[in-house]
Amino acid sequence: MAGPDEVKIDVHDRDAGVPTDADLDVSEEANKQVRFHPQPTITIRSEEPPEQEQTTTLARSDSMRDRRFDHFKTFAGRLERQLSSLRGGSRHPSDDNEPGESKLSEDDTDDDEVPTADRYFAALEGPELETLRPTEVPVLPEDETWPFLLRFPISAFGMCMGVSSQAMLWKTLELENSTAFLHVNRDVNGAFWWLSVALMGLVSATYLLKVVFYFEAVRREFHHPIRVNFFFSPWIACLFLVKGLPEPVGTVHHVVWYVLMAPLLVLDLKVYGQWMSGGEWRLSRVANPTSHLAVVGNFVGALLGARMGLREAAIFFFAVGLVHYVVLFVTLYQRLPTNVPLPRELHPVFFLFIATPSVASVAWARICGEFGHGAKVAYYISLFLYLSLVVRVKFFRGVRFSLAWWAYTFPMTSAAIATAVFASEVKNVLTQALAVVLAGVASVTMAAVLAATMYHAFVRRDLFPNDVSIAIRRRPKAKFGKILARLRTSSADLKELVSRHAGSETSSFSEPPSPMVYDGRGRAEP
């Protein structure tokens, strides 16, 4: 029992604030209870500030937007992603709630570089490189219809070439001496010309919208080894419009010709330079019947230039087209063993063999002022090629309709025009009958193809399917790549979960946990 002095000292120590043995025992017991039995402080937030709620709503709407087509958009996709980052920080609050598939799809998107020529040949099959190989996975979804502008190809300008060449044909039938007995009304040429102008305006406006909103898709078309040839077609169609003008061509200012030939010259320098330099774009590898479009524009320009009095400029483009046509003709005619034969759906493009020599014969006749021996040689070549294709009826039977059918129209019309001009030089019943027959066949073919196009465009609505030729990845990615990516993502998440669990167990014995704060959504915040 303690004496009175000891008790006084104990009380004095307590009053002075000095801890005693009893106080130390009590504090140790309290620390144990706090360490092993924490009592978190719960704070309930009944409502969210308006600004935070608005930001969360915007972030959630951005995450729910379909971003699969942003890769081909011009500026919209990048701009919207930047605005979203500015509004909600580097990461949206709703990103944690998104499924794994959406995160995977964002990770699968390639960079902005265009695939190389080797990649196009590796990912696509068919001589037109328009079919995706079974082992490839496209960038865009396969199980749904893409936006219309993404499905609208540059090859649609083939329709403009077919219709505008008809305006040239009926103007030739009206003015040539060999067909004067037909008494062709001038209004027929005017009707086809205005129809050509309307179609050209519609197709050009549509493709211009594609350039504005989906420039990445246009850039891929331009780097496509086969599709690049169709970039000549808009300018060729414009040359046809000027040549088929109901008024005399001599009244057109020379500036129009220079404006139309300048893009063709730029394209010639690019395409012919790639053919000559070799490498991935060498002619023996990318040669195709559609490559005639890269040559025939020179002869059409030479024809129009000669009619407008630009003799030297016409000879220049004629010489450039002639030398490359000879090389192209030999390359296509031999068809190397490594080349894949054309599928049945693309057999109409064989008629492009006729177009180049037909236009070249008329161009040389206009340059020389008469249908001389050089023009006759080119015309006889086109006539023989025409007959060699016509007699092979089975070769073109059972072909499913597509935009490739427009390859019938322009070459047939060119052959009819050349025959009418040739009949004026070699005038007899045979040549005149041949001119009338070929003109009738060309007109009927154009009308049939135009009707079929209207039917598939507005009735069946299958004229423009998904253009998978531009939806390839810059790097090869097989279909089982998605499974491997999912497994890698799952394993990474599992490792992160295990590391977090191990870290939480270690920290539970080292320091007391911080109190948890619960907001109105039921989520815990430290």
Side-chain angles (χ1 to χ4, degrees):
M1 183 172 179
D5 296 337
E6 294 179 359
V7 173
K8 290 180 181 179
I9 294 173
D10 187 24
V11 174
H12 177 74
D13 292 339
R14 287 185 179 181
D15 295 338
V18 179
T20 60
D21 295 338
D23 293 334
L24 292 175
D25 294 338
V26 173
S27 63
E28 290 179 0
E29 188 67 23
N31 289 336
K32 290 181 180 180
Q33 292 180 359
V34 171
R35 179 176 301 174
F36 295 103
H37 302 282
Q39 300 294 331
T41 303
I42 299 177
T43 304
I44 300 177
R45 298 176 182 175
S46 59
E47 56 183 20
E48 195 176 33
E51 294 182 358
Q52 183 178 358
E53 184 177 357
Q54 183 178 3
T55 304
T56 306
T57 305
L58 292 174
R60 186 176 302 172
S61 63
D62 290 340
S63 63
M64 295 176 63
R65 185 178 58 82
D66 192 355
R67 302 178 181 177
R68 290 174 295 179
F69 301 101
D70 287 356
H71 182 70
F72 291 91
K73 290 183 178 180
T74 306
F75 300 109
R78 298 189 184 94
L79 182 60
E80 289 179 3
R81 287 194 295 270
Q82 292 176 0
L83 292 178
S84 300
S85 301
L86 293 176
R87 287 196 302 262
S90 59
R91 184 171 180 173
H92 298 300
S94 58
D95 288 346
D96 298 333
N97 300 329
E98 292 182 357
E101 296 182 358
S102 62
K103 293 181 180 180
L104 188 62
S105 63
E106 292 179 5
D107 295 337
D108 284 344
T109 55
D110 295 336
D111 49 13
D112 294 334
E113 297 183 13
V114 178
T116 60
D118 289 333
R119 182 65 191 126
Y120 278 108
F121 282 105
L124 302 171
E125 58 185 357
E128 296 288 334
L129 299 182
E130 78 290 344
T131 306
L132 199 68
R133 294 185 183 274
T135 57
E136 292 290 333
V137 178
V139 178
L140 301 180
E142 300 178 89
D143 55 348
E144 64 178 85
T145 303
W146 302 350
F148 174 73
L149 293 179
L150 275 180
R151 295 183 286 114
F152 192 80
I154 185 65
S155 56
F157 281 97
M159 299 184 293
C160 303
M161 295 176 60
V163 178
S164 58
S165 62
Q166 281 290 309
M168 290 177 54
L169 172 62
W170 288 97
K171 184 177 180 179
T172 303
L173 295 178
E174 175 192 353
L175 299 178
E176 288 296 328
N177 297 328
S178 60
T179 55
F181 66 94
L182 296 176
H183 301 288
V184 176
N185 194 336
R186 187 178 181 180
D187 295 336
V188 179
N189 167 236
F192 275 106
W193 190 82
W194 283 111
L195 177 62
S196 304
V197 170
L199 182 61
M200 186 67 185
L202 178 61
V203 176
S204 301
T206 304
Y207 200 79
L208 183 61
L209 291 176
K210 182 177 181 179
V211 173
V212 173
F213 294 103
Y214 293 97
F215 182 75
E216 296 300 323
V218 177
R219 192 160 66 115
R220 288 195 171 212
E221 280 191 300
F222 187 74
H223 286 82
H224 192 280
I226 308 301
R227 197 71 66 83
V228 65
N229 298 314
F230 289 96
F231 281 85
F232 290 85
S233 55
W235 312 107
I236 298 175
C238 290
L239 291 173
F240 284 168
L241 288 176
V242 178
K243 180 65 175 64
L245 190 69
E247 301 296 330
V249 179
T251 59
V252 180
H253 200 278
H254 293 174
V255 176
V256 177
W257 185 86
Y258 286 108
V259 170
L260 294 179
M261 294 304 297
L264 286 177
L265 180 60
V266 174
L267 291 173
D268 286 345
L269 293 175
K270 172 182 171 52
V271 175
Y272 297 166
Q274 290 176 343
W275 290 357
M276 182 175 59
S277 61
E280 299 179 357
W281 307 93
R282 61 186 181 275
L283 183 60
S284 60
R285 186 177 189 186
V286 301
N288 190 271
T290 58
S291 300
H292 285 288
L293 295 174
V295 179
V296 71
N298 296 283
F299 296 115
V300 177
L303 171 59
L304 181 59
R307 296 292 291 177
M308 298 175 66
L310 301 172
R311 181 181 176 85
E312 296 301 325
I315 296 177
F316 169 78
F317 280 99
F318 186 91
V320 172
L322 179 62
V323 66
H324 289 92
Y325 170 71
V326 173
V327 177
L328 178 63
F329 181 81
V330 174
T331 304
L332 291 176
Y333 211 85
Q334 63 176 345
R335 297 297 295 173
L336 299 177
T338 55
N339 295 130
V340 181
L342 282 171
R344 181 174 294 272
E345 290 77 9
L346 297 174
H347 284 177
V349 299
F350 273 99
F351 270 80
L352 292 175
F353 276 92
I354 307 171
T356 306
S358 299
V359 179
S361 63
V362 180
W364 187 248
R366 300 307 184 193
I367 291 174
C368 298
E370 60 177 357
F371 210 97
H373 297 299
K376 290 179 181 179
V377 169
Y379 171 72
Y380 289 143
I381 292 174
S382 65
L383 184 61
F384 174 78
L385 293 175
Y386 196 123
L387 295 176
S388 65
L389 292 175
V390 169
V391 297
R392 303 186 65 185
V393 180
K394 294 182 179 179
F395 191 71
F396 302 97
R397 183 183 300 174
V399 179
R400 182 175 56 86
F401 179 80
S402 64
L403 286 177
W405 277 35
W406 282 96
Y408 286 126
T409 59
F410 158 56
M412 286 185 174
T413 306
S414 301
I417 294 174
T419 303
V421 177
F422 172 76
S424 298
E425 179 70 22
V426 184
K427 191 173 183 179
N428 53 52
V429 177
L430 179 60
T431 56
Q432 289 179 325
L434 184 60
V436 173
V437 170
L438 293 184
V441 171
S443 299
V444 172
T445 302
M446 195 280 300
V449 174
L450 181 60
T453 303
M454 300 288 287
Y455 172 73
H456 283 270
F458 298 103
V459 179
R460 299 190 60 178
R461 297 184 180 181
D462 59 352
L463 183 62
F464 302 109
N466 291 343
D467 191 10
V468 296
S469 60
I470 63 170
I472 66 172
R473 298 178 181 274
R474 198 177 68 88
R475 299 181 181 87
K477 186 177 182 64
K479 287 188 175 181
F480 58 84
K482 286 188 176 183
I483 301 177
L484 296 178
R486 290 171 185 269
L487 293 177
R488 286 195 294 267
T489 305
S490 301
S491 61
D493 293 340
L494 182 60
K495 290 180 180 179
E496 184 179 0
L497 181 61
V498 172
S499 62
R500 287 183 178 179
H501 182 68
S504 62
E505 288 183 351
T506 305
S507 61
S508 64
F509 291 98
S510 59
E511 59 182 11
S514 59
M516 307 300 294
V517 180
Y518 290 84
D519 58 4
R521 300 181 180 178
R523 294 186 300 183
E525 297 179 356

